[in-house]
Amino acid sequence: MENFSTKMVELSDGVFVIPGNTNVGVIITQNFEKEFFGTETENQNECKNQIILVDSGASEIDGEYILDVLKDFFERQQESFCVKAIFSTHCHADHVGGHNFIKQQTGCKIFSHENEKWGMETPLLQSSTLWGGYPPHELRTLYFKPEKTSVDFTFSQKDEYFLSDERKITFLEMHGHSQCSISIIVNYKNGKKIIFSGDSIFPRAEIGKYWIPLIINPVEFMESLDVLTSIPDVLWCIPSHGDFLSKNLSETAELNKIAILSTRMCIFEALKKKPLTIEEIVKYVADKNNLDMAMGQYALINSTVRSYLSVMHDAKEIKMKIEKNRLYFYTE
């Protein structure tokens, strides 16, 4: 039998991560109902370790794997556990795909930022936003359009929740990758912090592999990186994909900025000689980055390039015009 307990990595007292295609945070407390809602936990003695998950992976399979890891880990310690909540960093399918399965199995509550709730409760809007209209069936798969998930509670940057052992959870709004991604921060009494940053930063290996990540506003994404790196006393920053970050947080943020500026300069380069349509700009950017895109990657890159064009146009760095029923972008 596989030793699932080795799949759970301790970051500090009461905080773990389950590494995977989507890294899932595990925060342990002792009296969730009292700490969050001011009521006492029923049968508290039967549930010593009360779990708050951060995200749930991309699918029911991921959700089942997470529960298997937790079960094996606590059985080996001969301790009880129960999943009380899932905190969502944002609404994208690879972060909320296991929500429904875990909720069905455990009765846990689903938390989300108010501005990400729409993508979970009306998931077709995610792929429709990506496509710019009703999406083709290739973009209506679970990778782009997760199952509908009902959100039980919403949180904002103003909220904070107190945990056992004089810890607390706070939230930081991180714009640029989605409507309002959230970094979930566990604060210790000595001032140290562990951050689950979602897709607000990409580790070196990930940004090297995906040099043009999905971004809805490159300027806001870089501003969020500055906010993230300004947080003091960070023990660990756990991006949703790839390696964990510690002392290399600022270095990794700079690499993310270089990738964004590189795409911006690539668009400028494309527009040097003549006005181009969006299709022509997307092809230029993809060719320059040696991409051979299938439908899914095309949709992601196309959406991201459109976001760059909008921001650059708003900043008066480029112009646009309609000529013979085609939209062109150009520089003077």
Side-chain angles (χ1 to χ4, degrees), residues 119-321:
M120 298 166 66
E121 297 193 333
T122 313
L124 181 61
L125 291 176
Q126 289 198 49
S127 48
S128 296
T129 300
L130 192 67
W131 184 251
Y134 184 76
H137 67 84
E138 290 90 345
L139 300 184
R140 299 198 306 273
T141 62
L142 289 177
Y143 182 79
F144 295 99
K145 175 185 164 293
E147 291 182 354
K148 178 180 177 179
T149 300
S150 295
V151 174
D152 297 298
F153 299 98
T154 58
F155 49 66
S156 74
Q157 187 166 267
K158 297 178 181 178
D159 293 323
E160 59 181 26
Y161 295 108
F162 290 90
L163 306 172
S164 57
D165 299 322
E166 299 182 62
R167 298 168 298 155
K168 68 178 179 179
I169 292 177
T170 55
F171 306 96
L172 187 62
E173 294 177 357
M174 307 290 286
H175 301 278
H177 175 71
S178 66
Q179 294 298 322
C180 192
S181 294
I182 283 286
S183 283
I184 295 162
I185 307 173
V186 181
N187 302 263
Y188 287 86
K189 62 182 180 181
N190 63 0
K192 300 296 184 181
K193 302 173 185 70
I194 294 175
I195 305 173
F196 294 98
S197 57
D199 286 348
S200 298
I201 188 169
F202 297 96
R204 175 178 291 275
E206 295 297 308
I207 204 72
K209 185 177 180 181
Y210 305 106
W211 191 245
I212 311 176
L214 176 64
I215 289 176
I216 65 169
N217 189 312
V219 173
E220 289 184 350
F221 191 90
M222 289 197 294
E223 290 172 348
S224 291
L225 289 170
D226 289 337
V227 172
L228 185 64
T229 55
S230 71
I231 299 172
D233 299 321
V234 176
L235 285 173
W236 290 102
C237 175
I238 309 299
S240 287
H241 308 289
D243 295 335
F244 313 155
L245 305 175
S246 183
K247 294 180 180 179
N248 57 342
L249 178 58
S250 293
E251 172 193 330
T252 305
E254 289 303 312
L255 183 61
N256 279 244
K257 290 181 182 179
I258 290 169
I260 291 170
L261 294 173
S262 172
T263 300
R264 178 176 172 275
M265 292 308 299
C266 190
I267 292 171
F268 272 128
E269 184 181 286
L271 297 176
K272 274 183 180 178
K273 294 183 179 180
K274 63 178 182 178
L276 296 176
T277 66
I278 291 175
E279 285 288 316
E280 290 168 330
I281 297 169
V282 169
K283 174 173 170 50
Y284 184 91
V285 171
D287 289 348
K288 281 291 183 178
N289 286 274
N290 299 313
L291 299 177
D292 184 14
M293 301 183 293
M295 174 61 83
Q297 190 176 25
Y298 171 83
L300 295 169
I301 297 295
N302 179 67
S303 177
T304 297
V305 168
R306 286 172 179 265
S307 296
Y308 276 85
L309 292 170
S310 295
V311 169
M312 293 165 72
H313 173 67
D314 288 349
K316 299 184 176 3
E317 295 173 339
I318 61 175
K319 295 186 175 183
M320 64 181 181
K321 63 181 179 180

Side-chain angles (χ1 to χ4, degrees), residues 56-73:
S56 66
S59 66
E60 179 177 314
I61 293 174
D62 288 340
E64 184 176 11
Y65 174 76
I66 291 163
L67 293 182
D68 284 342
V69 170
L70 291 171
K71 180 181 178 182
D72 190 78
F73 180 85

